[in-house]
Amino acid sequence: MVDLKQSVQYVKGVGPNNLPLLQKLGIETLGDLITFFPRNYEDRSKPKKIDELVDGEEALIDVICASNMNETRFVRNKVILKMLVRDDTGDCVLTWFNQTYLKNKFKVGERYQFYGKVNIKYGRIEMSKPVYDKEGINKNTGKIIPIYPLTYNLSQNKLRGIIENGLKLVLGKLDETIPEYILKQYNLEDINKATMQIHFPNNFEDYSKARRRFVFEELLTVQLALSSLKSRYDKDMDGIEFNKEAKMSDVINELPFKLTKAQLKVLEEIDNDMENSKPMNRLLQGDVGSGKTIVSIIAAYKAAKSGYQSAIMAPTAILAEQHMEEFNKVLSKFGVKCEILLGGMRVKQRREILEKLKNGEIDVLIGTHALIVEDVEFKNLGLVVTDEQHRFGVRQRANIVAKGTNPDVLVMTATPIPRTLALILYGDLDISIIDELPPNRKKIETYPVMKNMEKRIEEFIRSNVAKGRQAYVVCPLVEESEDFDNFKSVTELAEKYKNDIFPEYRVEYLHGKMKQKEKDQIMQEFKDGEIQILVSTTVIEVGVNVPNANIMVVQNAEHFGLAQLHQLRGRVGRGEYQSYCILIYEGNSKTTRERMKIMKESDNGFVVAEKDLELRGSGEFFGTRQHGLPEFKIANLFEDVSILKEVQELAGKIEKADPRLQKKENSRLYKMVEEKFDERINI
Ligand code: ADP
Ligand code: MG
């Protein structure tokens, strides 16, 4: 038995200098260390003949040393070392820079392996800065070498050594975490072998087996954790059959605009669900501005006319108020009574609302998390709508649903969720999509720019504000931080704007660490046009509607997920004015440039999200923690769909046979879910 919870500092090679570096990578314990999986591998196991080498590739050669080291000195003590090596197909020149300690390392006539980058010029074959082993030794060559994710000041070699030492402590002693019957049935590698092979695979086949095991385990854990929550509502139970005579068209015909085809189609699906006795469980996805709210208003109308109450949950008070306005605008003339319930309300006012709710004098109750509170009692809750779902967890959804008897549930989200992810999160939900924006929307112009354009952007903001418009400026940090000294912070930038750049305008800031009351106040003043420039973190990313704002500037745009950038962009372009999204980015990596290009060229949130997932992998996609799921250490939702399907099939069977994981054969599963679930899944 090994204690995987022991601090990583006891592993050989982890000194006081490395410890904080490891911690930055999220490695605190021995367990973290051995599950810090490589992001890539270099195959240094198969030597090539010299005449097979290709320019630009990294390759391994197995050769005899054919010359002494030749040393050339340049200005400022720069040294180039060159040495000739040979096999039975040709010669190759090895070069190193400044590594003078190599001078007497190699002996003419002896055999070595070298691994490095090949340069071929005018038929001359060279290899630069190769790593090496003497014949018979396999330290840097002769095997598949793991490459670990971003290591700050920790070199690959150092980290690899530490992980090797960590593995020595645990190998052969790890307790199996997956039940035997599952290992057998799904042909999964056992934990000890898989742990070794995922770090230092003998060959790529063993690597694939190891990876499959860990992906399977990771997905199974999440799946079981989620289904343990979902199984709280019984899908086969009877729900409400809403009245066929309560016609959605009553409202549709009275609207000041024509619904889009997509909206009409979605409403038809919802109408069918509502009239059906099976409880509706539907996810409504639609890009920002696609008009989801009106869909929920019409559904609430049908519920009210059938004699049932609706609960509409929004993630913030501002959004709840916005909804309240829109619901009233449409529904008051039909005699449907809407009310709003927020945190911080006066006791007397709150009591009155709760009283009316219980008596059935309120048809639609709109609010925030305040709706979940225990003493909020409905007379007959028939429809639950949660807006911007990713802000709510599955558990919160379950709590509000429990206030009715199998009410219909409509979950609305503007965060485009790739299909694989939707399968995990909403395996049991039907999905409707609004894939069309209302006509006559002006396209938002998106400009990715480098940091040196700052001055021009400030002037651009100024000229728009002078015309009466408003601007958002989003920063990745709240306060300055040494760790990210090239990142803009909200407080710093707001001060600069207030005092130096825009003293003639009102500049305010907004971030998640502020009190809810303060945030609501600032947001309200921005809505009312009293604030011209709002500097903020991504707290403004969800649903706020300020049609007069036409500029969205994002600082350090390279730091954000594309789906998130798309959400931010959706804050503008909500009125009659031409709107702009300016993405200020740093660094010129190929991925960054590609990502910025996608933002410029696509205004479709689904396309943006899929591309993002493809470019960055699901780890980082989840890194935004938008979905309340843990980051996946190894599963990639793009590549691992087939494993996900196997896992879902298995999870379904387990759910039927042993929903609480109480059978002896599932005790390991219980432990696995409990550990991860409590620590990492915040739902
Ligand atoms: P979201 O899907 O982002 O929640 P909203 O529901 O807030 O979008 O809709 C954005 C705006 O578009 C609202 O002002 C709404 O009244 C308006 N709208 C919705 N549907 C249509 C339509 N079919 N034609 C014109 N305007 C519409
Ligand atoms: Mg909305």
Side-chain angles (χ1 to χ4, degrees):
M1 261 295 300
V2 267
D3 178 11
L4 292 176
K5 295 238 159 73
Q6 66 179 288
S7 165
V8 71
Q9 66 180 308
Y10 303 116
V11 176
K12 210 171 124 202
V14 183
N17 293 337
N18 295 327
L19 187 60
L21 298 175
L22 289 173
Q23 285 167 335
K24 268 200 179 154
L25 295 172
I27 302 171
E28 302 272 355
T29 65
L30 180 58
D32 295 336
L33 182 72
I34 61 164
T35 54
F36 191 76
F37 298 126
R39 72 167 157 76
N40 210 341
Y41 300 83
E42 266 176 23
D43 188 357
R44 303 183 189 169
S45 68
K46 294 187 204 75
K48 276 193 161 182
K49 292 291 181 192
I50 287 178
D51 70 351
E52 293 169 344
L53 294 178
V54 177
D55 186 37
E57 73 173 349
E58 312 226 311
L60 180 76
I61 49 177
D62 186 351
V63 292
I64 306 281
C65 175
S67 80
N68 286 319
M69 195 69 83
N70 179 311
E71 193 180 333
T72 317
R73 288 195 175 265
F74 287 86
V75 280
R76 278 190 235 120
N77 281 333
K78 288 219 161 82
V79 184
I80 293 187
L81 300 165
K82 283 184 188 280
M83 185 174 89
L84 189 71
V85 296
R86 144 174 325 150
D87 67 10
D88 52 3
T89 68
D91 289 356
C92 176
V93 176
L94 309 179
T95 53
W96 290 272
F97 300 92
N98 296 331
Q99 285 160 277
T100 44
Y101 61 89
L102 291 175
K103 217 166 124 186
N104 299 312
K105 200 94 200 171
F106 308 102
K107 289 204 179 70
V108 176
E110 299 209 340
R111 181 176 287 276
Y112 303 88
Q113 293 201 319
F114 293 95
Y115 179 88
K117 186 162 179 199
V118 177
N119 305 308
I120 304 182
K121 262 197 212 118
Y122 310 116
R124 235 173 96 94
I125 304 170
E126 294 198 353
M127 185 176 273
S128 55
K129 293 182 286 179
V131 294
Y132 58 88
D133 279 319
K134 201 169 165 3
E135 182 175 21
I137 293 178
N138 283 335
K139 189 153 171 285
N140 295 309
T141 68
K143 56 187 175 187
I144 297 168
I145 302 275
I147 310 292
Y148 292 96
L150 199 71
T151 54
Y152 296 96
N153 288 320
L154 206 58
S155 73
Q156 286 288 341
N157 277 339
K158 183 78 201 168
L159 182 58
R160 196 189 311 143
I162 292 171
I163 288 179
E164 228 170 343
N165 293 336
L167 289 176
K168 277 188 199 133
L169 294 177
V170 304
L171 282 186
K173 299 182 207 150
L174 290 169
D175 284 337
E176 183 53 71
T177 49
I178 300 179
E180 295 301 330
Y181 78 94
I182 295 177
L183 289 177
K184 220 183 247 155
Q185 193 182 338
Y186 289 88
N187 198 12
L188 304 172
E189 196 64 88
D190 81 74
I191 190 164
N192 282 291
K193 181 154 187 218
T195 301
M196 180 64 198
Q197 293 300 317
I198 195 77
H199 288 284
F200 298 101
N202 290 333
N203 52 54
F204 282 105
E205 202 190 329
D206 285 352
Y207 155 75
S208 295
K209 280 194 203 152
R211 182 175 185 280
R212 173 179 157 79
R213 182 224 142 89
F214 288 116
V215 170
F216 196 100
E217 180 172 7
E218 190 162 47
L219 292 174
L220 183 61
T221 314
V222 174
Q223 198 64 57
L224 288 175
L226 285 172
S227 45
S228 78
L229 277 174
K230 282 179 189 155
S231 64
R232 285 196 201 156
Y233 12 49
D234 188 340
K235 276 171 267 170
D236 301 328
M237 241 191 305
D238 268 353
I240 301 161
E241 279 179 43
F242 290 89
N243 192 344
K244 285 195 165 57
E245 298 311 312
K247 294 224 179 301
M248 292 185 163
S249 55
D250 298 347
V251 182
I252 297 175
N253 293 332
E254 291 290 314
L255 291 174
F257 46 76
K258 255 181 81 186
L259 292 181
T260 60
K261 273 205 204 90
Q263 284 171 317
L264 288 169
K265 180 164 161 279
V266 164
L267 276 169
E268 198 181 310
E269 290 165 345
I270 293 174
D271 206 13
N272 283 336
D273 281 1
M274 287 181 80
E275 289 176 4
N276 193 307
S277 70
K278 195 177 145 247
M280 170 165 80
N281 236 335
R282 187 168 286 279
L283 174 69
L284 173 56
Q285 295 195 2
D287 214 341
V288 272
S290 61
K292 294 182 293 294
T293 314
I294 189 66
V295 168
S296 65
I297 293 175
I298 295 168
Y301 169 82
K302 186 172 176 96
K305 287 297 159 187
S306 308
Y308 287 92
Q309 293 171 305
S310 301
I312 319 291
M313 280 224 295
T316 66
I318 295 272
L319 283 177
E321 269 159 17
Q322 214 167 273
H323 281 339
M324 178 67 187
E325 242 171 69
E326 289 193 46
F327 270 73
N328 257 335
K329 213 161 43 183
V330 179
L331 293 182
S332 58
K333 65 173 147 238
F334 295 100
V336 175
K337 279 188 239 59
C338 304
E339 195 42 271
I340 187 165
L341 185 72
L342 300 173
M345 269 183 160
R346 278 202 208 96
V347 179
K348 183 156 166 271
Q349 192 188 4
R350 181 167 187 277
R351 202 181 306 139
E352 275 172 26
I353 293 174
L354 294 188
E355 196 60 39
K356 283 191 192 163
L357 188 68
K358 223 168 139 181
N359 297 337
E361 288 170 62
I362 292 171
D363 297 309
V364 180
L365 186 66
I366 299 166
T368 52
H369 293 83
L371 300 195
I372 311 176
V373 179
E374 216 175 285
D375 62 349
V376 178
E377 283 176 55
F378 290 80
K379 181 167 179 233
N380 58 352
L381 178 61
L383 174 69
V384 170
V385 178
T386 62
D387 192 10
E388 312 295 352
Q389 150 73 16
H390 61 277
R391 294 284 160 131
F392 295 109
V394 178
R395 183 168 286 159
Q396 286 164 325
R397 195 168 90 211
N399 283 344
I400 182 78
V401 166
K403 290 185 184 289
T405 311
N406 304 324
D408 278 9
V409 176
L410 181 66
V411 172
M412 305 199 294
T413 177
T415 309
I417 301 172
R419 204 180 58 85
T420 34
L421 185 49
L423 270 176
I424 291 193
L425 283 174
Y426 308 109
D428 62 339
L429 267 71
D430 299 313
I431 298 182
S432 294
I433 298 180
I434 306 185
D435 52 5
E436 169 184 19
L437 293 184
N440 304 327
R441 287 274 161 83
K442 281 208 181 77
K443 192 173 176 311
I444 301 165
E445 286 181 27
T446 301
Y447 299 109
V449 301
M450 300 287 283
K451 212 175 146 193
N452 56 15
M453 300 277 279
E454 197 108 47
K455 275 270 156 303
R456 284 182 60 183
I457 292 159
E458 285 161 10
E459 287 320 306
F460 187 65
I461 295 177
R462 191 187 311 283
S463 69
N464 276 275
V465 173
K467 286 182 215 151
R469 302 288 79 73
Q470 290 162 282
Y472 299 97
V473 181
V474 170
C475 304
L477 295 181
V478 174
E479 287 158 348
E480 288 162 80
S481 156
E482 278 178 20
D483 290 342
F484 304 96
D485 56 2
N486 55 346
F487 278 13
K488 284 268 194 285
S489 80
V490 167
T491 46
E492 194 188 0
L493 193 68
E495 278 314 301
K496 186 175 136 193
Y497 278 5
K498 262 186 205 178
N499 301 325
D500 306 336
I501 316 274
F502 301 110
E504 70 273 39
Y505 294 119
R506 183 149 170 233
V507 178
E508 287 296 344
Y509 64 82
L510 197 67
H511 58 70
K513 289 189 185 165
M514 289 160 64
K515 292 210 184 77
Q516 192 60 45
K517 261 225 168 96
E518 283 177 274
K519 283 192 282 190
D520 290 347
Q521 169 86 20
I522 297 279
M523 209 51 232
Q524 195 59 51
E525 287 181 80
F526 188 70
K527 264 188 115 166
D528 297 342
E530 288 160 26
I531 295 169
Q532 283 78 43
I533 300 170
L534 186 63
V535 182
S536 120
T537 53
T538 54
V539 288
I540 48 126
E541 97 192 46
V542 172
V544 212
N545 200 18
V546 184
N548 189 50
N550 77 328
I551 299 182
M552 165 62 65
V553 179
V554 184
Q555 302 275 353
N556 301 101
E558 75 280 1
H559 168 75
F560 295 97
L562 295 192
Q564 207 174 11
L565 289 177
H566 183 72
Q567 285 289 308
L568 289 168
R569 176 164 64 183
R571 292 313 100 221
V572 295
R574 308 197 134 231
E576 59 196 287
Y577 310 106
Q578 175 60 51
S579 295
Y580 307 90
C581 173
I582 299 168
L583 305 172
I584 306 181
Y585 68 98
E586 268 187 75
N588 213 7
S589 79
K590 191 162 161 251
T591 315
T592 300
R593 284 200 314 265
E594 268 178 54
R595 296 175 70 234
M596 293 299 129
K597 188 160 162 252
I598 293 166
M599 286 305 296
K600 185 172 167 59
E601 287 172 1
S602 178
D603 58 359
N604 180 322
F606 289 85
V607 173
V608 165
E610 294 272 353
K611 286 254 159 96
D612 204 19
L613 196 60
E614 207 176 298
L615 278 174
R616 300 205 304 170
S618 53
E620 297 208 37
F621 191 86
F622 282 109
T624 63
R625 299 204 163 252
Q626 298 220 28
H627 307 284
L629 275 179
E631 280 178 50
F632 284 124
K633 283 191 164 192
I634 189 161
N636 175 325
L637 295 180
F638 230 68
E639 294 166 6
D640 296 323
V641 185
S642 67
I643 300 183
L644 178 61
K645 293 230 169 91
E646 286 179 272
V647 164
Q648 288 190 318
E649 187 202 281
L650 171 64
K653 279 186 202 152
I654 295 173
E655 204 181 324
K656 275 219 180 79
D658 185 16
R660 294 165 163 269
L661 304 178
Q662 282 170 332
K663 292 193 178 159
K664 190 150 177 281
E665 76 239 37
N666 288 328
S667 62
R668 286 175 185 168
L669 294 179
Y670 182 86
K671 213 170 141 198
M672 177 165 109
V673 172
E674 191 188 42
E675 268 178 20
K676 289 233 173 143
F677 195 49
D678 281 1
E679 264 179 40
R680 304 178 58 210
I681 302 191
N682 177 27
I683 52 180

